[in-house]
Amino acid sequence: MYKSFLIKYAEIAIKGKNRYLFEDALVQNIRYHLKRVEGTFHVRKENGRIYVDTEGEYDYDETVETLQRIFGIVGICPVVLIEDEGFDALAKVVCDYVDRTYPDKNFTFKVDARRARKNYPMTSMEINAAVGEKILEAFPETSVDVHHPEVMIHIEIRPMINIYSTEIPGPGGMPLGTAGRAMLLLSGGIDSPVAGYMVSKRGVTLEATYFHAPPYTSERAKQKVIDLAKKVARYSGQIKLHVVNFTDIQLYIYEKCPHEELTIIMRRYMMKIAEHFAEEGKCLGMITGESIGQVASQTMQSLAVTNEVCHMPVYRPLIAMDKQDIVSIAEKIDTYETSILPYEDCCTIFVAKHPVTKPSLKHIKKSECRLEEKIDELMQTAIDTTETILVDAE
């Protein structure tokens, strides 16, 4: 029945003279994602609307699920498009639409007509009344409720007349690629995939860095992170994932520095290495999954000490969120079950029993002086031996 989908957006509509840039980006993203769906699709813009037209057979459910993962879309409306052949032809199509869409006719409805073409011979109110009358005649079980209808039948008078009554929610946000690129510090935990998803939702393209510590972390832990990147890539598009061998740096810090400062110092060197790849990739910032007070390395004091090594901005979209709120998003984007698999990442191996929660930058820098003999060489080796993987959606 549905050969087209009307795509609705929200924020894009207030972009003024730059609006076409965001619309074009959304059209490109829709085309990119629909390449994976069985069927032939044509995406087009028309007078402030975006349409996805289908050709031949296609998988309706898969198409809708794919569109629901494209940032910038707030509503997906399966729509019937018809030529203007007069009111009687319109009323017949609307009644046929109602008959096929709603087998059970015991519902209340309202007709909502809008004219983009003001030369149409009937006003919107006249269309509402006349079409409503035709529906009542065809289906006496129905009734009109203009205040709280169970079914809202939309009729838009455009070059092609649009008829639809269902709006499937999209993810919202801004089209991918309209806000630059950022580097995600991706671990095997719950938080960082959610952070990547949330920043990507604002139109940011992602790269990612993962710190691997063999033999203390297994290949299963690495595969877990790759699997998480695949799930995030369903929304963000392809992710360039840098897998850094961090073992020697961790062991060296463990040997030379006070154990209560291990997490903070390791975190600082992770940020330095991630920033190296971010600069190579022309990223405009880094993204982490930190939330204030969640663990010792995420107190305000710890975050300030960690930030000190960074030259580019660090974005923390989860910074004020409760854990359950983060878990809810992880469940929604299907990363939660993968995140809780029991394969430890490098952050959890060398954890002090009593980590410092209010580190002093002066003391941390003094401890880092003990690393001067070998740390630069170890960092360069870690960078040179990094494995880069292009991760596509699963």
Side-chain angles (χ1 to χ4, degrees):
M1 180 178 176
Y2 300 111
K3 295 298 182 183
S4 297
F5 295 88
L6 168 62
I7 304 300
K8 292 189 174 183
Y9 50 73
E11 282 186 71
I12 295 174
I14 62 173
K15 291 300 180 183
K17 292 180 180 179
N18 290 327
R19 174 172 165 173
Y20 76 96
L21 297 173
F22 294 88
E23 289 177 333
D24 290 347
L26 181 53
V27 167
Q28 285 183 333
N29 289 336
I30 293 171
R31 287 173 179 157
Y32 170 80
H33 283 276
L34 288 179
K35 286 180 181 178
R36 299 177 177 275
V37 180
E38 182 180 343
T40 302
F41 303 92
H42 305 284
V43 187
R44 59 188 172 89
K45 291 197 306 180
E46 181 186 287
N47 299 325
R49 288 287 192 271
I50 294 175
Y51 293 92
V52 176
D53 299 319
T54 67
E55 183 180 319
E57 297 295 321
Y58 73 100
D59 189 320
Y60 174 87
D61 291 334
E62 187 182 3
T63 301
V64 170
E65 288 172 8
T66 299
L67 292 171
Q68 285 185 294
R69 294 195 296 267
I70 300 174
F71 295 134
I73 295 176
V74 298
I76 305 149
C77 305
V79 63
V80 174
L81 302 177
I82 63 170
E83 298 281 356
D84 181 6
E85 297 178 347
F87 175 78
D88 289 340
L90 169 61
K92 183 177 184 306
V93 172
V94 171
C95 289
D96 181 56
Y97 170 85
V98 170
D99 191 27
R100 296 172 66 181
T101 306
Y102 302 100
D104 182 359
K105 304 300 187 298
N106 289 293
F107 61 81
T108 60
F109 73 91
K110 176 183 177 181
V111 179
D112 178 35
R114 298 189 180 187
R115 298 181 305 155
R117 288 194 290 115
K118 299 302 182 184
N119 61 352
Y120 193 78
M122 299 172 68
T123 67
S124 297
M125 292 297 290
E126 288 171 342
I127 297 170
N128 292 341
V131 172
E133 185 178 354
K134 292 290 186 181
I135 294 172
L136 290 171
E137 288 176 1
F139 312 110
E141 313 97 301
T142 63
S143 60
V144 173
D145 183 343
V146 295
H147 298 295
H148 304 288
E150 295 171 317
V151 175
M152 180 75 80
I153 300 168
H154 299 274
I155 301 172
E156 295 186 3
I157 309 297
R158 295 179 171 275
M160 295 279 287
I161 297 178
N162 295 209
I163 302 164
Y164 62 95
S165 62
T166 301
E167 182 171 331
I168 302 161
M174 298 299 291
L176 199 65
T178 57
R181 179 181 295 271
M183 178 62 70
L184 171 65
L185 276 77
L186 183 61
S187 73
I190 296 170
D191 302 333
S192 57
V194 173
Y197 163 84
M198 290 182 66
V199 171
S200 185
K201 186 175 179 178
R202 298 307 304 164
V204 177
T205 305
L206 298 181
E207 286 193 28
T209 302
Y210 163 60
F211 293 91
H212 192 43
Y216 301 98
T217 53
S218 66
E219 284 299 307
R220 294 294 296 274
K222 174 182 168 183
Q223 187 58 48
K224 172 183 171 181
V225 172
I226 293 171
D227 291 341
L228 286 171
K230 288 179 180 179
K231 290 183 179 295
V232 175
R234 296 170 73 200
Y235 298 89
S236 70
Q238 186 183 76
I239 296 174
K240 182 187 286 188
L241 175 63
H242 306 278
V243 181
V244 180
N245 188 332
F246 201 61
T247 309
D248 292 342
I249 294 175
Q250 280 192 298
L251 290 172
Y252 190 51
I253 295 171
Y254 189 81
E255 177 189 343
K256 296 290 186 180
C257 298
H259 284 192
E260 66 273 14
E261 297 175 355
L262 288 177
T263 304
I264 294 295
I265 294 174
M266 288 176 187
R267 191 74 177 163
R268 280 165 61 88
Y269 282 99
M270 288 178 178
M271 298 296 272
K272 288 181 180 181
I273 293 172
E275 190 171 57
H276 166 84
F277 291 113
E279 289 171 349
E280 277 192 348
K282 298 182 179 178
C283 296
L284 301 176
M286 296 194 293
I287 308 162
T288 75
E290 292 158 319
S291 172
I292 292 174
Q294 189 172 147
V295 293
S297 63
Q298 296 177 22
T299 62
M300 290 286 281
Q301 294 87 345
S302 297
L303 294 175
V305 170
T306 304
N307 267 17
E308 191 270 340
V309 302
C310 302
H311 298 99
M312 61 175 57
V314 181
Y315 300 104
R316 297 179 168 96
L318 314 185
I319 195 68
M321 293 180 66
D322 291 338
K323 191 67 176 186
Q324 189 53 52
D325 296 331
I326 300 168
V327 167
S328 296
I329 298 174
E331 290 173 336
K332 183 179 79 171
I333 65 175
D334 193 31
T335 58
Y336 179 73
E337 292 298 330
T338 303
S339 291
I340 63 173
L341 291 174
Y343 308 120
E344 302 289 1
D345 63 31
C346 69
C347 296
T348 60
I349 300 300
F350 299 96
V351 176
K353 289 183 179 179
H354 303 289
V356 60
T357 58
K358 298 180 180 180
S360 158
L361 180 59
K362 180 180 177 181
H363 290 157
I364 294 296
K365 285 191 168 185
K366 185 176 179 181
S367 297
E368 288 179 347
C369 288
R370 305 178 188 184
L371 305 172
E372 288 179 350
E373 182 182 351
K374 290 173 58 178
I375 193 65
D376 289 343
E377 177 187 344
L378 292 174
M379 284 182 63
Q380 190 59 51
T381 300
I383 290 168
D384 292 341
T385 58
T386 291
E387 178 187 6
T388 300
I389 305 169
L390 295 179
V391 180
D392 287 304
E394 60 178 0

